Amino acid sequence: MATPPTEITSTEHRVEQLLAAEPQLRDAAPDAGIAEAIRRPGLSLVELIETVMTGYADRAAFAERATEVVTDPVTGRTTRRLLPRFDTVTYREAWQRACAIAGEWTHHAEAPVAAGDFVATLGFTSTEYAIIDLACVRAGVVSVPLQAGATAGTLKPIVAETVPKLLASNVDNLGTAVDLVLDSTTVRRLVVFDYHPEVDAEREKFEAAKARFASADSPIVVEPLSAVLERGATTAPAPVSGADPDRLSVLIYTSGSTGTPKGAMYTDRLIAKLWHEFFPERPPFPLVDLNFMPLSHVLGRAMLVSTLAGAVPSTSPRRTTCPPCSRTSR
């Protein structure tokens, strides 16, 4: 009696058949040269990411469900309707946008964000959220991802502790973001992403946010990410910060369900590991991940960036838990 194939052998055989039949999938296979390049000793986190983004420049980095704006014939209000396809953003486009955002932040005339400053982000995982996060690395600022859906009361201690200069929020969490900014003494700009002004409900939320700041006589600037990108396209690039692997890169807070939220501090060195060592035994197959996990959790980040990096396995020992943070902030 023949020995039944193992699960791994069977999977590899099926993948080989799929790659032979599907040239589009075969063309998306990880590049071993890029995988080797991002493990060069002494490579900074910015250099690592730039190697990936330029190496895979013409490939699709992100895809989101396409939509179209429709008008209700009864109410006359506009909404978005899902379409049976995905809109993609290439690695080149994503990196260009991240660099444009970083340049606009650092060279903003009235409210610049310098390397080492903190930038908080509030929203659900999306293409624009991921690009903002890449911009944080390019600008050398510390990213503070806030838990989407959390109350302002839960998030205010985090904002008070991290003293961010800028807060980026998606339109769905904009009301909470305004509460946080009005209570903060350091936030000077509120950037709104995943915002579609042609949709009535979203435009109304945006205008309501501006009205709240106006009624409070607040100088806070509220603007869509599209405006930042437009200015950033003609702004000088952000200076490249030094290659310090122990630089604080991301501050991820607990939910606070067992007490005051505590921040886990991730350095450039630890974030770099997420790009090429978090899933060391992933097979070198083309991968398409459906990422719905929050970027305010390290596993959500690991899923995202390891897929962007090509998910080519390294020779590192298997890791089955999140990489340890360097220390806690409280």
Side-chain angles (χ1 to χ4, degrees):
M1 180 180 294
T3 303
T6 65
E7 181 179 349
I8 294 178
T9 302
S10 176
T11 300
E12 290 178 346
H13 178 64
R14 292 168 63 186
V15 169
E16 288 175 359
Q17 291 180 316
L18 183 60
L19 293 179
E22 297 290 344
Q24 185 177 13
L25 186 60
R26 185 170 62 248
D27 292 342
D31 188 312
I34 295 175
E36 181 179 356
I38 65 175
R39 296 187 178 93
R40 298 196 308 270
L43 201 67
S44 71
L45 181 59
V46 172
E47 291 171 333
L48 183 160
I49 294 174
E50 190 165 43
T51 299
V52 171
M53 305 306 281
T54 56
Y56 290 127
D58 295 322
R59 297 190 186 187
F62 304 106
E64 288 191 345
R65 188 75 174 269
T67 64
E68 66 177 356
V69 177
V70 295
T71 303
D72 188 293
V74 177
T75 65
R77 291 181 62 78
T78 56
T79 59
R80 286 195 303 152
R81 178 170 61 192
L82 294 175
L83 298 176
R85 62 177 174 81
F86 288 84
D87 290 333
T88 60
V89 175
T90 66
Y91 281 80
R92 176 185 289 108
E93 291 168 336
W95 189 236
Q96 286 175 342
R97 294 177 194 179
C99 291
I101 294 169
E104 198 275 347
W105 283 354
T106 57
H107 296 295
H108 194 276
E110 299 176 358
V113 179
D117 287 339
F118 288 70
V119 168
T121 312
L122 177 63
F124 188 74
T125 302
S126 69
T127 295
E128 289 195 344
Y129 191 138
I131 290 174
I132 288 172
D133 212 65
L134 291 172
C136 288
V137 178
R138 179 61 184 83
V141 302
V142 182
S143 172
V144 184
L146 304 174
Q147 298 91 351
T151 65
T154 299
L155 299 177
K156 282 181 180 180
I158 299 175
V159 174
E161 181 173 81
T162 57
V163 293
K165 293 287 188 66
L166 181 148
L167 192 151
S169 171
N170 71 349
V171 72
D172 290 338
N173 289 270
L174 192 51
T176 300
V178 173
D179 290 338
L180 297 175
V181 174
L182 286 174
D183 194 61
S184 170
T185 59
T186 62
V187 177
R188 300 178 64 188
R189 297 176 66 188
L190 175 56
V191 175
V192 185
F193 62 94
D194 290 339
Y195 169 51
H196 309 87
E198 65 275 16
V199 175
D200 288 338
E202 296 189 18
R203 186 178 61 257
E204 288 163 359
K205 289 181 180 179
F206 185 83
E207 294 300 328
K210 294 178 64 176
R212 287 185 61 188
F213 286 118
S215 63
D217 197 24
S218 170
I220 297 299
V221 176
V222 186
E223 59 185 346
L225 181 63
S226 59
V228 177
L229 285 167
E230 185 177 355
R231 287 195 299 272
T234 58
T235 301
V240 178
S241 55
D244 180 7
D246 295 319
R247 181 194 77 90
L248 180 61
S249 180
V250 182
L251 193 55
I252 298 180
Y253 277 80
T254 63
S255 64
S257 57
T258 58
T260 303
K262 296 178 175 58
M265 304 174 78
Y266 289 85
T267 62
D268 278 10
R269 188 197 313 276
L270 292 174
I271 295 300
K273 289 181 179 295
L274 299 185
W275 281 80
H276 53 64
E277 292 182 359
F278 192 82
F279 300 107
E281 294 190 17
R282 268 189 168 186
F285 305 149
L287 292 176
V288 178
D289 280 343
L290 175 61
N291 198 327
F292 56 88
M293 296 190 67
L295 293 184
S296 56
H297 192 286
V298 70
L299 186 56
R301 288 173 170 270
M303 290 292 293
L304 175 65
V305 302
S306 66
T307 303
L308 284 176
V312 174
S314 70
T315 57
S316 303
R318 173 183 284 274
R319 177 185 291 118
T320 56
T321 59
C322 297
C325 60
S326 57
R327 53 197 178 277
T328 56
S329 63
R330 301 182 83 143

